[in-house]
Amino acid sequence: MPLRRSTILSTAFGAAMAATVMLLTTSIPSAAEKRPPSGAQNLGNPDYGVCRGTDPECYHDWDNFDPATDGYRVLVYSRTAGPRHAHLGPALPAGLNPPLTPAHAAQNALVKLGADNDFAVDWTEDVTQLSSPSRLFRYNAVIFMSTTRDTLDDPAQTALRQYIRGGGGFVGIHNAFGTEYNWEWYEGLLGGANYYDHGRNQPGTVVTMSRRDVSTAGLPARWQFTDEWYNLVPFPSRVRILANVDEASLPEGPTGGSGHPGHGRNHPVSWCQYYDGGRSWVTTLGHAVEAWTETPTTGDEYFLRHVLGGIESAMGREPFCR
């Protein structure tokens, strides 16, 4: 007995539906497969309403510094208002240049860099030392050394902004990215970037992106270092990337504690820019105490050479952001 046309259509439709269900079931990607292979995407390209980028026209050369008369001097600011990195040692008392102990590894290393390279270094965790532009204009660069969270009050915020607008130099090291989260101007000073999370403290390969800049001149094309490898939101924009980390070299991967998957083939660790009249050189590197001491550790000589070049270019002693 021949089959009815409706029966044939029903059978065919059922088979098609079953095939579709099987196809969907087998092709739905897992959470891991959904993750973009090139790292986190769409992390923003904010505009902070200032002249910023790699164009020297954004710099204000207003004769606020006279190295021929005053020499070169930097201020290391390491005040914390939250978690404190071990490389900073115990909190420092008020005032300028309070006594340092061997536990103050990062501060001691920066003082030694200055002594070995003919520039003066002051240090403080006293926010009143940043209370006016006139105080800051004594320094060719201000270094935020692993500062944490709301480390500036209103007068210091205003003074820092006026200092940068008057041609000052800024160097941000490691947890300078964990500072002043809710101040957009400061986020712009960091290159339009901010700390989101980090992977495990682990060895990795730093890739020198260009050797034209004074902070990368003489560095190997690839060098080993151990760090926390910060993941960023937003992602830096309108900056010159100086060094990346090769995520493929990280034994435990780049995924951070809050789920950031890393940045794939373009995971920056150092960059520079002109910003709102001043110069800004920043690096996410510098977590380990050993990186700041004379205890030998893989890559520490390259790291300190990198930081030295960043300081010298930010304070105008060497060409900036090449």
Side-chain angles (χ1 to χ4, degrees):
M1 179 178 178
L3 294 174
R4 287 186 173 183
R5 186 167 184 261
S6 60
T7 303
I8 296 173
L9 290 175
S10 176
T11 302
F13 179 74
M17 288 297 294
T20 301
V21 170
M22 289 182 64
L23 180 62
L24 289 172
T25 302
T26 56
S27 64
I28 293 175
S30 66
E33 290 171 333
K34 286 181 180 179
R35 182 171 296 163
S38 58
Q41 305 294 307
N42 302 320
L43 298 183
N45 184 16
D47 184 355
Y48 295 90
V50 303
C51 187
R52 58 184 290 254
T54 59
D55 187 347
E57 289 294 318
C58 289
Y59 182 71
H60 296 163
D61 188 4
W62 291 348
D63 294 325
N64 281 316
F65 309 95
D66 186 4
T69 301
D70 304 323
Y72 288 93
R73 181 178 294 272
V74 300
L75 177 66
V76 177
Y77 185 59
S78 55
R79 182 172 182 258
T80 55
R84 187 175 178 89
H85 277 71
H87 56 237
L88 294 181
L92 292 171
L96 191 66
N97 299 342
L100 297 174
T101 72
H104 296 101
Q107 298 94 323
N108 283 320
L110 292 170
V111 170
K112 186 174 187 303
L113 274 184
D116 291 347
N117 294 279
D118 197 29
F119 61 89
V121 179
D122 290 336
W123 61 93
T124 190
E125 293 183 5
D126 182 353
V127 69
T128 67
Q129 299 298 319
L130 286 71
S131 61
S132 70
S134 61
R135 283 181 178 268
L136 293 181
F137 279 126
R138 294 182 294 183
Y139 301 102
N140 303 88
V142 175
I143 303 171
F144 273 38
M145 181 64 241
S146 283
T147 46
T148 307
R149 297 187 182 166
D150 293 332
T151 191
L152 300 174
D153 58 16
D154 285 348
Q157 285 188 341
T158 301
L160 179 64
R161 198 168 190 174
Q162 296 299 82
Y163 167 75
I164 294 297
R165 285 177 167 173
F170 176 82
V171 174
I173 300 176
H174 199 52
N175 210 52
F177 285 85
T179 299
E180 299 292 332
Y181 282 111
N182 299 312
W183 185 20
E184 287 190 351
W185 182 89
Y186 180 83
E187 183 173 273
L189 184 63
L190 296 176
N194 222 323
Y195 167 82
Y196 182 76
D197 65 10
H198 61 73
R200 291 187 180 276
N201 187 55
Q202 58 186 311
T205 300
V206 178
V207 181
T208 303
M209 300 304 291
S210 168
R211 296 183 191 172
R212 293 186 60 219
D213 190 73
V214 66
S215 69
T216 53
L219 295 183
R222 297 171 66 88
W223 45 285
Q224 301 304 303
F225 196 60
T226 296
D227 217 288
E228 292 179 321
W229 312 112
Y230 280 9
N231 295 315
L232 306 162
V233 177
F235 190 81
S237 57
R238 287 190 251 163
V239 301
R240 177 160 290 119
I241 303 296
L242 300 170
N244 279 343
V245 58
D246 180 356
E247 288 189 356
S249 71
L250 303 178
E252 299 184 62
T255 301
S258 295
H260 194 302
H263 296 287
R265 291 182 294 273
N266 185 23
H267 189 147
V269 296
S270 303
W271 56 92
C272 57
Q273 64 163 344
Y274 294 96
Y275 184 76
D276 203 12
R279 308 181 186 98
S280 174
W281 185 97
V282 297
T283 182
T284 65
L285 302 177
H287 172 73
V289 173
E290 293 78 10
W292 299 100
T293 68
E294 295 184 359
T295 302
T297 185
T298 303
D300 60 349
E301 73 275 23
Y302 300 132
F303 167 67
L304 288 176
R305 188 186 305 175
H306 188 44
V307 169
L308 173 62
I311 293 171
E312 291 196 314
S313 63
M315 67 183 182
R317 190 178 190 179
E318 296 288 348
F320 181 70
C321 207
R322 297 179 62 179

